[in-house]
């Protein structure tokens, strides 16, 4: 009998599932998957104590349990509320939840710089995805946004506090992965900031993981900043024999070049195995790694989730202009162009033409 | 004159010292409880007395005590919340300053009931001189055998420590208080688990307000039945009210929760009316975070009954037409006061004091303050008022701790009852800035000018 664990039945958005006692509503919803899973900006299943802060995962509990069927009076944070037997939860079927979630997204965005076009996180940013789903087109905030100076946290990491949404994930990560956390939250309220004590640098073998847990572009990889856009890069799973960490990483390549190395993430955007700084920052050659093969990107990002697939595209005028010729380069449509070198016959270049093909060849 | 239980002896010469306090009948309840009662009997007495938490929420104290988990071999703690920082509330300061031994006595009896051998007083940092008074009182109590090992030969040990906060309003929230007591940043914890199960250092903990713990003394001395006779309905016993604002006699008053609001404001025994023959415009009956009430709704409920100074009557009508007893910070506004400016002041306070942990409160409080500042400075738009309403609606109930609600309620109530004053500030920007006070037509119907 003692081994015979009783499972709790919980109904989320009219889908019933059985989970083990002690599971949070969020994790139960993730088992169902799809749109039923509430978004989470601060909760991170691998970091103890995280969650409850961002309030994007609020859900409505319309029946507490079979034993006590009263509804909960307020919306609850699904990441930090455990399921009860017979609980009925409304997530996307509740107007109250959607309204509150839209409100939270608006709050998160009022002081966020919205500098996505120059932000390295764009394309894999949780906040970008969230505002795509729940944000409004304009803002009702008519004041100067909060800004901070950029701040180098040692040789590898840059802190751009202006973009931070104070999810505390990096604090938990540094606290739980390293033995000497040197950064935390200073000050309070809307003027609080992530900082180190008088600009100390973050110095630990595993500190690079704070970049991966950051849901926005507040903590970025200095070895990758402004090198490329993530959606141009091809993710590939790779591994190496690392004495410090599991060595299982994701390489982000374009052509032969490895632009950055990150930890592997699961479908909820959470790191599977923490990786060390050496793997992340020092091993930037394909020859350092055993490549396992291309990675299928999860639904995680706006861009990779194919939000733009199936859109009606405007009529493409290029084929008409070209009159049957196949362009190798957009420049080709000009018969004579200042940037184009008339001495180079594009049709004789192998593969797609590259700007380097035009240098010093005329 | 209502019966006084807490402040009866507060002005006896030298009551701050142990000798006089003892001579005036102090520490009798400790003798009674420790020698003739079991801890459960003490808890039962408190339960039967109907005592409700005096810190603001009004939760029945006896019930709170009975929730404390009692696992084998794990110490339990009582923590006294003396982090009184709600604007308009200064009753605990008065009690601790003038009659500190009453709190120590209440703490000993309550610790006995809860089985706490180490009890803490978390006092707000600004009360530096009261910290000294309390430490003096604790030292005296210890010298005379009321604290330490084997008190009165009953085998009950107790130590009381005073811990000073560092000036954060949020540390008055019980779980933030516990974090701060543990030496961490004062961020409220996510509940559950509640402190009664996992409190300070993960041990079962009860956090009670100063006045609540002091009220345990008369409950044990006179018995729960006698105590429950004072007051009406579920509002038993006496309550300290700290009255301030536009009144003739600001100060701390002990009331027995049967007097009407009108009597409290106008009688000479209490606030003594409004100075300079001005009219009553509005009042915040329970500390800055509870909804403001205009005069017509303050003196009479929406049903037309006389409003009484107690938990039920002040809350009558719900938030649309009522308010809350709260912590007893009674702030009175006369006809010259501007509700917009007042709301801005509160919004600035809550923005400054938000811990910044959860998004709606962190961002929303700052946003509300900025909009209110615009309206106050004559740069507002009519649509700003609706925007404010929408923001407060999205903060309320969606935050980790009640600070979000506390920031949202005053704004909501001000717009609900004084919307035309906000509109007047927008449409008459120049005049509003010159006058710097509001419209007066909410004035008290009782006083004929």
């Amino acid at each position: 009998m003692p081994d015979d664990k009783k499972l709790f039945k919980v109904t989320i958005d009219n889908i019933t599932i059985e989970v083990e006692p002690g599971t949070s509503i969020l994790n139960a919803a993730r088992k169902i998957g799809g749109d039923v899973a509430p978004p989470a900006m601060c909760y991170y299943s691998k970091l103890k104590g995280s969650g409850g802060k961002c309030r994007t995962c609020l859900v409505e509990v319309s029946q507490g349990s079979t034993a006590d069927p009263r509804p909960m009076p307020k919306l609850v944070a699904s990441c930090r509320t455990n399921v009860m037997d017979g609980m009925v939860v409304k997530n996307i079927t509740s107007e109250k939840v959607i309204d509150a979630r839209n409100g939270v997204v608006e709050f998160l965005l009022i002081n966020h710089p919205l500098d996505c076009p120059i932000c390295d996180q764009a394309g894999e940013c949780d906040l970008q995805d969230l505002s795509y789903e729940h944000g409004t087109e304009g803002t009702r905030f008519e004041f100067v946004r909060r800004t901070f100076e950029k701040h180098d946290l040692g040789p590898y990491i840059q802190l751009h506090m202006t973009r931070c949404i104070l999810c505390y994930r990096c604090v938990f990560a540094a606290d739980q992965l390293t033995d000497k956390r040197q950064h935390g939250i200073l000050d309070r309220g809307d003027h609080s900031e992530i900082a180190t004590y008088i600009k100390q640098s973050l110095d630990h073998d595993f500190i690079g993981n704070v970049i991966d847990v950051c849901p926005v572009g507040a903590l970025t990889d200095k070895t990758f900043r402004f090198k490329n856009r993530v959606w141009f890069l091809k993710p590939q799973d790779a591994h190496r024999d690392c004495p410090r960490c599991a060595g299982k990483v994701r390489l982000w390549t374009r052509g032969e070049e490895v632009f950055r190395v990150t930890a592997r993430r699961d479908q909820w955007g959470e790191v599977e195995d923490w990786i060390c700084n050496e793997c992340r920052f020092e091993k930037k050659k394909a020859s350092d790694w055993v490549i396992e093969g291309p990675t299928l990107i999860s639904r995680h990002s706006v861009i990779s989730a194919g939000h733009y697939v199936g859109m009606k595209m405007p009529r493409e005028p290029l084929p008409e202009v070209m009159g049957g010729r196949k362009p190798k380069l957009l420049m080709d449509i000009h018969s004579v162009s200042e940037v184009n070198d008339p001495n180079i016959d594009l049709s004789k270049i192998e593969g797609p033409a590259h700007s380097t093909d035009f240098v010093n060849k005329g | 004159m209502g019966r006084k239980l807490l402040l009866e002896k507060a002005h006896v010469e030298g009551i701050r010292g142990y000798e006089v306090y003892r001579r005036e009948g102090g520490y009798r309840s400790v003798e009674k409880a420790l020698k003739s009662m079991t801890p459960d009997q003490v808890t039962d007495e408190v339960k039967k007395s109907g005592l409700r938490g005096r810190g603001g929420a009004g939760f029945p104290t006896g019930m709170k005590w009975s929730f404390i988990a009692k696992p084998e071999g794990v110490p339990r703690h009582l923590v006294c919340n003396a982090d009184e920082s709600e604007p308009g509330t200064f009753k605990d300061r008065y009690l601790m300053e003038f009659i500190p031994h009453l709190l120590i006595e209440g703490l000993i009896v309550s610790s006995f009931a809860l089985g706490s051998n180490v009890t803490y007083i978390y006092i707000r940092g600004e009360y530096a001189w009261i910290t000294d008074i309390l430490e003096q009182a604790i030292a005296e109590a210890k010298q005379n055998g009321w604290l330490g090992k084997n008190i009165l030969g009953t085998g009950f040990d107790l130590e009381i420590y005073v811990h000073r906060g560092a000036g954060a309003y949020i540390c008055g929230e019980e779980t933030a208080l516990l974090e701060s007591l543990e030496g961490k940043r004062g961020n409220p914890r996510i509940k559950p688990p509640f402190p009664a199960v996992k409190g300070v250092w993960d041990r079962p903990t009860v956090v009670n307000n100063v006045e609540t713990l002091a009220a345990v003394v008369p409950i044990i001395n006179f018995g729960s039945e006698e105590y429950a006779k004072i007051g009406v309905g579920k509002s038993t016993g006496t309550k300290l009210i700290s009255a301030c604002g536009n009144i003739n006699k600001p100060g701390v008053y002990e009331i027995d929760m049967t007097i009407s609001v009108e009597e409290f404001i106008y009688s000479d025994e209490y606030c003594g009316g409004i100075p300079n023959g001005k009219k009553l415009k509005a009042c915040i009956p329970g500390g800055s975070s509870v909804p403001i009430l205009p005069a017509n709704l303050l003196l009479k409920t929406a049903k037309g009954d006389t409003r009484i100074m107690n938990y039920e009557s002040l809350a009558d009508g719900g938030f649309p037409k009522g308010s809350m007893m709260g912590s007893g910070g009674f702030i009175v506004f006369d006809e010259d006061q501007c509700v917009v400016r007042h709301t801005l002041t509160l919004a600035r306070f809550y923005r400054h004091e938000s811990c910044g942990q959860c998004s709606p409160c962190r961002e929303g409080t700052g946003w509300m303050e900025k909009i209110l500042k615009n309206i106050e400075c004559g740069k507002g738009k009519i649509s700003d008022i609706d925007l404010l309403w929408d923001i407060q609606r999205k903060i309320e109930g969606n935050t980790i701790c009640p600070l979000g609600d506390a920031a949202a309620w005053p704004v909501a109530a001000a717009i609900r009852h004084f919307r035309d004053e906000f509109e007047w500030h927008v449409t008459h920007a120049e005049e509003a800035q010159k006058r710097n006070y509001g419209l007066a037509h909410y004035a008290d119907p009782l006083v004929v000018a």
Side-chain angles (χ1 to χ4, degrees), chain A residues 26 30 37-41 54 56-58 78 91 101 130 133-134:
Chain A
L26 183 96
R30 281 185 175 184
M41 299 297 289
C54 70
T56 53
C57 71
L58 291 175
S78 60
N91 178 22
R101 198 168 287 159
L130 191 70
E133 281 167 39
H134 294 279

Side-chain angles (χ1 to χ4, degrees), chain A residues 53-55 111 140 142 189, chain B residues 354 357 359 363 381 390:
Chain A
K53 301 187 197 307
C54 70
R55 317 308 281 179
N111 274 312
R140 297 188 286 175
E142 296 173 341
Chain B
S354 166
Q357 197 183 193
S359 342
E363 307 293 351
K381 297 193 292 278
D390 200 44

